[in-house]
């Protein structure tokens, strides 16, 4: 029997899948805390030049045009003239709300204000580079060993960050932490999807995103209670330390074993899965060998034919190639390019909203909590939408809506309703862009062939980190060009909606094992072709014809392909 059929016989959602979901979930909680921790670690509290104990602010600090005290200048000698100079004796920071951060400890303000944003960009660069490295070695040496080794190294580096003696050491250690963490996150994630049958992928596959949001909510509480950045960072390392007790239960992927010709190990692993899941009357051997061709037709892609299609058999898997060059050749090239842009756009817009909560009206801790809280319904909404409509329609529609929301934020004055109008639309924009995450995530996992899946996911994450790396820089440039970040985010959202139309719908499809399988999916499951998107009927004026070409009816989707 094929692997999907064997997984059904071994309980398609048993203890093995729960272990995979748990390890993946813990890593998602951890990555949320790591990525978003800069909101508190690098927070910039209100500040001004330090003044002597018997001096007043009016005597020493000039007033700016907006009526506040200057953050970076002081009077040379107010008794003689109104000449000013850069702060000569350091800075004083507001401590009533804000705690100790790297900004207050190392004075990363004024001429050095860009260093706080730079540290976050370098951290995100580490995540991107780590995505490719961990993806390649996990595809070559196996998911399980890479995850275990990476977790041990990550915990050591994560603790070391809290003891950084200076800014340079902080940036270097945190970069290495991010680089190694992708080896903790990606292999278990891919393994989880490879142990899921198609009917469970939309529901279970959406859980990591929900847990990411829970991690952000937990971090907001930790940030409120622990306001020293060193103790804060030690506290947010708790999930990965907890993962040390369960990572040993993580199984190796049966699909990975068969794709590398390790057939006996694959059969043994399948038997272990069945035993661990307490499956009854599980056959031995379970994975049969035959010489049927790997290619399959459109009917094989329908859910009723997913199980027993004969695709994941040992001989079929052995015909795959894991050359990374295939990622940049058709049809995989289209997946690589479009998924890379979708990740760039998502990370740019997501972090644009997430990292700017401190600039919104109100308490920064409450704002961050609310900004994270709106993600929960967005994550959960993705499950029924994907089951009913597939991946592409929600992806396209919510990108368009988030772009419209960004336009409103640009147009509305910042002080409208004491800033609450902008805050409300910022929360709505965060909700809308997070709604695009579940379908985007599933598309990547379900389109890359098995032996390229981890590497393909890693490379698209690497390229996608251009958005997250750019986001804090754009937010800093808003001081020079007002609303620059919002304008870039708007263009990115609309472009994502357009490019998403070039991908095939994966609703109810089996995961492709080879590039040939992916070609069949492109031929039979595309909602739109490039010609349909670009074709303009000259006789009809400027109406663009976007005809569904995969046999779906006018309602948009064939009920026969709905996930049961």
């Amino acid at each position: 029997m094929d692997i999907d059929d064997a997984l059904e016989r071994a309980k398609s959602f048993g203890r093995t899948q729960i272990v995979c979901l748990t390890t993946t979930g813990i890593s998602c909680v951890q990555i949320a805390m790591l990525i978003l921790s800069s909101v508190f670690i690098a927070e910039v509290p209100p500040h001004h030049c330090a003044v002597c104990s018997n001096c007043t602010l009016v005597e020493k600090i000039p007033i700016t045009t907006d009526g506040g005290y200057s953050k970076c200048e002081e009077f040379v000698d107010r008794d003689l003239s109104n000449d000013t100079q850069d702060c000569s004796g350091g800075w004083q920071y507001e401590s009533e709300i804000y705690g100790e951060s790297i900004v207050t400890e190392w004075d990363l303000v004024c001429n050095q204000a860009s260093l706080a944003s730079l540290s976050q960009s370098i951290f995100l660069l580490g995540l991107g580079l780590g995505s490719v490295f961990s993806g390649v070695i996990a595809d070559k040496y196996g998911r399980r060993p890479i995850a275990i080794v990476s977790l041990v190294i990550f915990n050591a580096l994560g603790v070391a960050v809290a003891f950084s003696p200076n800014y340079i050491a902080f940036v270097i250690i945190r970069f290495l932490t991010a680089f190694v963490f992708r080896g903790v996150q990606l292999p278990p994630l891919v393994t989880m999807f490879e142990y899921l049958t198609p009917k469970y992928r939309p529901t279970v596959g959406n859980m990591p995103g929900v847990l990411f949001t829970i991690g952000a909510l937990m971090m907001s509480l930790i940030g409120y209670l622990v306001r020293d950045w060193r103790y804060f960072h030690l506290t947010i390392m708790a999930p990965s330390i907890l993962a040390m007790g369960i990572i040993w239960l993580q199984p190796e992927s049966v699909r990975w074993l068969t794709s590398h010709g390790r057939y006996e190990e694959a059969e043994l692993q399948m038997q272990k899965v069945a035993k661990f899941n307490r499956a009854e009357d599980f056959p031995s051997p379970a994975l049969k060998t035959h010489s049927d061709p790997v290619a399959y037709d459109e009917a094989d892609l329908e859910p009723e034919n997913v199980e027993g299609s004969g695709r994941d058999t040992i001989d079929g898997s052995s015909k795959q190639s894991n050359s990374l060059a295939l990622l940049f050749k058709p049809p995989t090239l289209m997946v690589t390019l479009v998924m890379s842009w979708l990740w760039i756009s998502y990370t740019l817009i997501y972090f644009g909203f997430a990292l700017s909560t401190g600039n919104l009206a109100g308490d920064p801790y409450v704002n961050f909590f609310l900004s994270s809280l709106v993600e929960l319904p967005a994550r959960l909404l993705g499950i029924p939408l994907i089951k009913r409509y597939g991946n592409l329609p929600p992806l396209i529609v919510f990108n368009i809506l988030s772009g419209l929301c960004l336009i409103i934020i640009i147009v509305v004055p910042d002080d409208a309703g004491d800033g609450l109008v902008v805050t409300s639309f910022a929360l709505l924009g965060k909700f809308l862009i997070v709604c695009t995450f579940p379908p985007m995530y599933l598309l990547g996992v379900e389109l890359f062939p098995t032996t390229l899946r981890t590497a393909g996911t890693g490379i698209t994450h690497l390229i996608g980190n251009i958005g997250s790396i750019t986001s804090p820089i754009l937010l800093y440039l808003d001081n020079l060009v007002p609303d620059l970040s919002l304008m870039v985010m708007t263009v990115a959202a609309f472009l994502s909606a357009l490019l998403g139309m070039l991908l095939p719908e994966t609703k109810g499809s089996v995961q492709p094992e080879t590039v040939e399988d992916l070609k069949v999916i492109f031929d039979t499951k595309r909602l739109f072709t490039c010609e349909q998107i670009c074709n303009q009927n000259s006789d009809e004026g400027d109406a663009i014809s976007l005809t569904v070409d995969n046999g779906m009816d006018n309602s948009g989707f064939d009920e026969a392909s709905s996930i049961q």
Side-chain angles (χ1 to χ4, degrees), residues 19 23 55 68 76 106 121 131 152 238 248 263 298 316 339 368 383 419-420 493 540 554 563:
V19 168
T23 54
C55 298
V76 176
W106 296 318
S121 295
S131 296
V152 173
W248 310 99
Y263 311 136
E298 182 175 0
M339 289 306 305
F368 184 85
I383 299 175
L420 294 180
E540 297 291 336
N554 292 332
I563 298 176

Side-chain angles (χ1 to χ4, degrees), residues 31 124-139 178-187 343 453-465:
I31 193 63
L124 294 170
L125 176 63
L127 284 177
L129 295 176
S131 296
V132 175
F133 180 76
S134 63
V136 171
I137 62 175
D139 278 338
F179 182 87
V180 173
F181 184 75
R182 282 305 194 194
V184 179
Q185 182 192 22
L186 287 181
W343 274 104
R453 191 164 295 131
T454 311
T457 302
I459 287 176
T460 54
H461 282 194
L462 168 64
I463 300 174
N465 269 279

Side-chain angles (χ1 to χ4, degrees), residues 35-56:
I35 291 180
L36 300 175
S37 62
S38 65
V39 174
F40 301 126
I41 286 179
E43 61 186 354
V44 184
H47 57 277
H48 54 75
C49 297
V51 297
C52 55
S53 57
N54 59 347
C55 298
T56 63

Side-chain angles (χ1 to χ4, degrees), residues 80-100:
L80 300 178
S81 68
N82 289 329
D83 293 340
T84 60
Q85 63 182 12
D86 293 338
C87 298
S88 60
W91 289 262
Q92 289 180 347
Y93 301 93
E94 181 181 304
S95 58
E96 182 178 351
I97 297 178
Y98 301 89
E100 184 79 7

Side-chain angles (χ1 to χ4, degrees), residues 165-196:
N166 52 53
Y167 174 80
I168 299 298
F170 170 81
V171 170
I172 292 175
I173 299 174
R174 202 158 180 257
F175 170 84
L176 294 175
T177 301
F179 182 87
V180 173
F181 184 75
R182 282 305 194 194
V184 179
Q185 182 192 22
L186 287 181
L189 175 69
V190 173
T191 300
M192 181 189 75
F193 276 104
E194 291 179 339
Y195 271 109
L196 292 174

